[in-house]
């Protein structure tokens, strides 16, 4: 019998077993006998896609206090007294400070400089104390800390600087003598005599004095850089060995005013992130109102970003404003002079990064301490613009100017904030027509979406623009989220000829200042910990390989039935009224009929908000509440028609009509007038994570009654608005839990077999290496945990385990654990 015939029968036997024993996609309890059989077939003679060294990177945005109070190592909060109600309604210039005696924040001609508008006037015999971040100023026993302050005193003054917590002094107090005259910078050093996370920094003055830029830095920063980075957080990024660092945003780039920070603009606080504000001496850098509801000091600026990328061997990838706002603001700036200024700023940025020391901006970089160029090769214009036509008109002008002066720079465009829909389609068509080099895609979806869409890039045009997946995550920090992301990443690698760059987002979250979750790394003022998602990213980023080795795998048979579930009504930051709810089965028989002329006993309130009967309608009146769901009916309902009459009463959005409602985390809803009343979409929630199934631009009128009809047949849904078909979709993609990809590491000669088993059953797998001659031992790295396992400060439930497997041959069997990600590094002989 020939070897090929033996191999064919061997495969067929296992495939037959798989068909007999395969479990459904719904996770089942883990038992020793719960096994699903698969076959992986590798073709080592075929040439797959080349994987660039820069394939995986990180995206840093100052969200969740990722910069000030996070990666930026400054320990003093509001160090220059610039906090403002523009940043946050609760802020004052003395936020995080307490005064003993008399002190006043001044904004007058006595300031340190025009761009640092505020300073503190401290009366004789008075003091100010800073509370730091989280629970306070963090110091560690035996470590050194550098204090500095800009000060002036008409008659001289002695400052007493101390560190203490509730238990007493944390270091020996220091005396700083301020000379008579103008502003000058003064320094002192502390050595902590014990460890505390609740420290306070106090500055007391013997005579009247003016203070600004009150600073305390650990000497032990990453790479011991001055104005440096918090060591543990920087080291976590470095440990990923990222191929690139995308910065500074995100919504920071395309929101707020596009004006500069100057007298001419009225010292505009709520501005887009503009790079020239962030370089030069830190005391001369502008402050800004952060889109996420706090203040940015810009101590961590473009120079520090570029330097950090260089330190960790990553490609810098800055993002500049395109003068079209997004993130809910959605406006196009019409000002040709302003557009030209931003284009010139972008050209100046490239000169700052790459120019010789004889150039204007290269000289500025050299004066900051880096005469060598940073070797910038990629630059992105814009971020998630919802106005694709307006964005692209401006993008083309940026690209033309950059390519004319710097033809070697890759200029990256984007496709809006979603994975599909009219904005996405329009943006992609514009990018294709203009032969754009690379397009940035962003999406945040449920784990099920990631399991369903592993093949997303299989059908992309190989000759069209390349893809930069600049932001993605599966809406959770549990291991099941990491499993879904890992399954999806096998598809990214398989399509490495199209997907050239990819980065999970967001990167950091301070646990006491969270605007967005999930996040890859969590921290407070004294500790940091890796999420399950971080461990997944690290496993892929440190085991990429240089080229894909083509391979195939059998799948898990799907046992999908029809869409089932009750019906529901909801709102989001909006008041709305509902009436004439009717549900009929496929034969036209009534399942539910409610005109709200009686009571609301049919309905169960599972969300927030305030519901009541008013004039024969069911009304939700709380315009601050999000997801106010009420539901009615049977979770077993299927193949039905839903009719609702819905009216928006007040608020920012429209209304939500739900179907297929199983529980509070699993349902579909038609979101009419969502996203600040700019578009409508059908979203599917699975275990609380949402994915968009169909989307169209459009708004809802206040006070107008709409007839909303939803027809559910099997897994097909058709939607009607005022009697006209609005759209339809079929939700029949299997959420395949078993995914794999194989790559080759040129440096080591290893075949890297990467397998994700995102189900609660073991995956007994026959692996055929296609005749490759291999060593019998493989290095194995496994991430395995319960689906709901989460890493915390106190416990690490998800961590890699390494082992050795000695049963490798040209054809061998390996059983992949339930809920696991496994990398087998197999040495070729």
């Amino acid at each position: 019998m020939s070897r090929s015939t033996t191999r064919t029968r061997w495969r067929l036997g296992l495939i037959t077993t798989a068909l007999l024993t395969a479990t459904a996609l719904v996770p089942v309890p883990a038992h020793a006998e719960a096994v699903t059989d698969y076959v992986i077939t590798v073709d080592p003679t075929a040439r797959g896609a080349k994987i660039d060294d820069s394939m995986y990177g990180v995206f840093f945005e100052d969200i969740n206090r990722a910069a000030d109070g996070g990666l930026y190592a400054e320990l003093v909060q509001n160090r220059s007294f610039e906090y403002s109600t523009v940043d946050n309604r609760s802020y004052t210039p003395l936020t995080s400070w307490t005064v003993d005696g008399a002190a006043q924040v001044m904004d007058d001609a006595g300031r340190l400089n025009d761009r640092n508008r505020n300073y503190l006037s401290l009366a004789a015999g008075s003091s100010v104390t800073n509370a730091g971040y989280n629970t306070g100023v963090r110091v560690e026993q035996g470590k050194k800390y550098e204090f500095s302050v800009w000060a002036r005193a008409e008659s001289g003054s002695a400052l007493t600087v101390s560190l203490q917590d509730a238990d007493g002094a944390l270091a020996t107090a220091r005396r700083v003598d301020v000379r008579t005259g103008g502003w000058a910078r003064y320094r002192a050093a502390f050595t902590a005599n014990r460890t505390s996370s609740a420290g306070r920094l106090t500055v007391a003055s013997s005579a009247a004095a003016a203070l600004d830029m009150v600073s305390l830095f650990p000497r032990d920063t990453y790479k011991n850089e001055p104005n440096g980075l918090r060591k543990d957080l920087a080291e976590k990024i470095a440990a990923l060995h990222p191929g690139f660092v995308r910065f500074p945003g995100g919504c920071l780039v395309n929101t707020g005013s596009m004006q500069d920070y100057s007298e001419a603009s009225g010292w505009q606080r709520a501005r887009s992130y503009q790079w020239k504000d962030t370089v030069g001496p830190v005391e001369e850098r502008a402050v800004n109102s952060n889109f996420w509801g706090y203040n940015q000091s810009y101590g961590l600026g473009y120079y520090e970003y570029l330097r950090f990328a260089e330190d960790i061997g990553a490609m810098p990838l800055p993002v500049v404003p395109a003068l079209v706002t997004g993130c809910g603001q959605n406006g196009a700036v019409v000002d040709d002079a302003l557009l030209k200024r931003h284009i010139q700023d972008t050209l100046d940025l490239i000169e700052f990064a790459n120019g010789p020391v004889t150039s204007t901006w290269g000289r500025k970089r050299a004066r900051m301490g880096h005469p060598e160029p940073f070797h910038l090769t990629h630059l992105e214009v814009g971020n998630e613009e919802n106005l694709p036509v307006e964005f692209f008109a401006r993008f083309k002008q940026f690209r033309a100017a950059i390519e004319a002066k710097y033809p070697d720079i890759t200029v990256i465009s984007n496709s809006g904030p979603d994975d599909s829909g009219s904005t996405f389609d329009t943006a992609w068509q514009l990018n294709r027509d203009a032969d754009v080099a690379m397009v940035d895609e962003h999406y945040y979806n449920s784990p099920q979406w990631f399991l369903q869409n592993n093949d997303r890039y299989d059908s992309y045009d190989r000759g069209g623009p390349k893809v930069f997946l600049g932001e993605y995550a599966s809406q959770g920090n549990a291991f099941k989220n990491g499993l879904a992301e890992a399954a999806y990443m096998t598809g990214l690698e398989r399509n490495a000829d199209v997907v050239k760059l990819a980065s999970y987002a967001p990167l950091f979250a301070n646990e006491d200042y969270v605007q967005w979750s999930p996040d890859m790394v969590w921290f407070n003022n004294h500790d940091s910990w890796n999420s399950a998602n971080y461990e997944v990213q690290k496993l892929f980023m440190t085991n990429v390989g240089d080229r894909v080795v083509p391979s195939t795998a059998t799948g898990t048979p799907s046992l999908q039935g029809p869409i089932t579930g009750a019906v529901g009504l909801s709102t989001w930051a909006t008041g709305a009224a509902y009436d004439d709810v009717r549900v009929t089965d496929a034969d036209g028989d009534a399942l539910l009929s409610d005109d709200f002329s009686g009571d609301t006993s049919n309905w169960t309130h599972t969300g927030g908000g305030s519901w009541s009967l008013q004039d024969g309608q069911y009304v939700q009146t709380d315009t601050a509440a999000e997801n106010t769901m009420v539901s009615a009916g049977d979770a077993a309902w299927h193949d039905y028609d839903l009719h609702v009459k819905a009216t928006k009463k007040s608020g920012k959005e429209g209304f939500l009509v739900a179907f297929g409602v199983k529980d509070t985390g699993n349902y579909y809803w038609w979101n009419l007038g969502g996203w600040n009343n700019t578009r409508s979409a059908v979203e599917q929630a699975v275990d609380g994570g949402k994915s968009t199934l169909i989307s169209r631009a459009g708004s809802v009128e206040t006070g107008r009654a709409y007839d909303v009809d939803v027809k559910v047949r099997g897994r097909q849904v058709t939607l009607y608005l005022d009697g006209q078909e609005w759209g339809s979709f079929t939700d029949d993609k299997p959420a395949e839990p078993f995914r794999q990809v194989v790559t080759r590491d040129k440096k080591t000669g290893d075949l890297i077999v990467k397998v994700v088993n995102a189900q609660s059953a073991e995956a007994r797998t026959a692996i055929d290496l296609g005749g490759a001659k291999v060593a019998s031992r493989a290095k194995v790295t496994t991430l395995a945990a319960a689906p709901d396992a989460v890493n915390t400060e106190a416990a690490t439930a998800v961590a890699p385990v390494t082992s050795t497997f000695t049963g490798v041959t040209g054809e061998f069997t390996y059983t992949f654990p339930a809920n696991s990600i496994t990398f087998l590094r197999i040495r070729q002989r």
Side-chain angles (χ1 to χ4, degrees), residues 607-683:
S610 178
W611 289 87
S612 62
L613 283 177
Q614 296 182 20
D615 301 322
Q617 295 181 314
Y618 203 14
V619 182
Q620 199 292 120
T621 55
D622 186 345
T623 57
E626 299 178 346
N627 191 2
T628 63
M629 180 85 80
V630 292
S631 61
D634 192 325
W637 280 355
H638 62 89
D639 297 295
Y640 57 77
D641 296 301
L642 165 64
H643 171 81
V644 180
K645 191 175 287 292
T647 306
K648 173 183 175 178
K649 293 291 191 180
S650 60
K652 297 190 300 185
E653 305 209 344
F655 35 79
L656 298 148
V657 176
F659 54 97
V661 179
K662 291 183 171 60
D663 52 46
T664 56
N666 295 275
Y667 53 84
Y668 301 80
W669 66 21
W670 188 2
N671 186 348
L672 288 140
W675 296 271
N676 288 323
N677 205 15
T678 60
R679 62 189 176 99
S680 300
V682 176
E683 298 176 281

Side-chain angles (χ1 to χ4, degrees), residues 75-76 96-100 127-133 135-140 145 147 160-174 190-204 214 216 525:
L75 297 174
V76 176
S96 82
W97 294 94
T98 55
V99 176
D100 184 2
S127 66
V128 287
T129 298
N130 191 266
Y133 295 94
T135 54
V137 175
R138 165 70 174 183
V139 296
E140 295 181 49
Y145 297 84
F147 168 82
T160 302
V161 187
S162 58
L163 273 169
Q164 67 284 325
D165 64 9
D167 295 326
L170 293 168
T172 302
R174 295 287 184 251
F190 293 95
T191 300
N193 56 36
R194 57 188 176 85
T195 295
S196 176
S197 297
R200 300 291 186 268
L201 176 73
T202 297
V203 181
V214 182
L216 187 69
N525 67 352

Side-chain angles (χ1 to χ4, degrees), residues 479 482-483 486 489 532-540 783 821:
F479 188 51
L483 284 167
M489 292 170 79
N533 317 68
Y534 175 97
E535 296 298 348
V536 170
Q537 293 293 322
K538 185 178 180 182
L539 185 59
F540 275 84
L783 286 171
I821 305 160

Side-chain angles (χ1 to χ4, degrees), residues 3 23 107 132 193 197 265 300 322 331 428 450 466 519 527 731:
R3 187 172 188 272
T23 60
D107 176 6
N193 56 36
S197 297
S265 72
L300 176 56
W428 256 106
F450 284 94
K466 302 305 180 186
D519 303 282
D527 200 3
D731 181 24

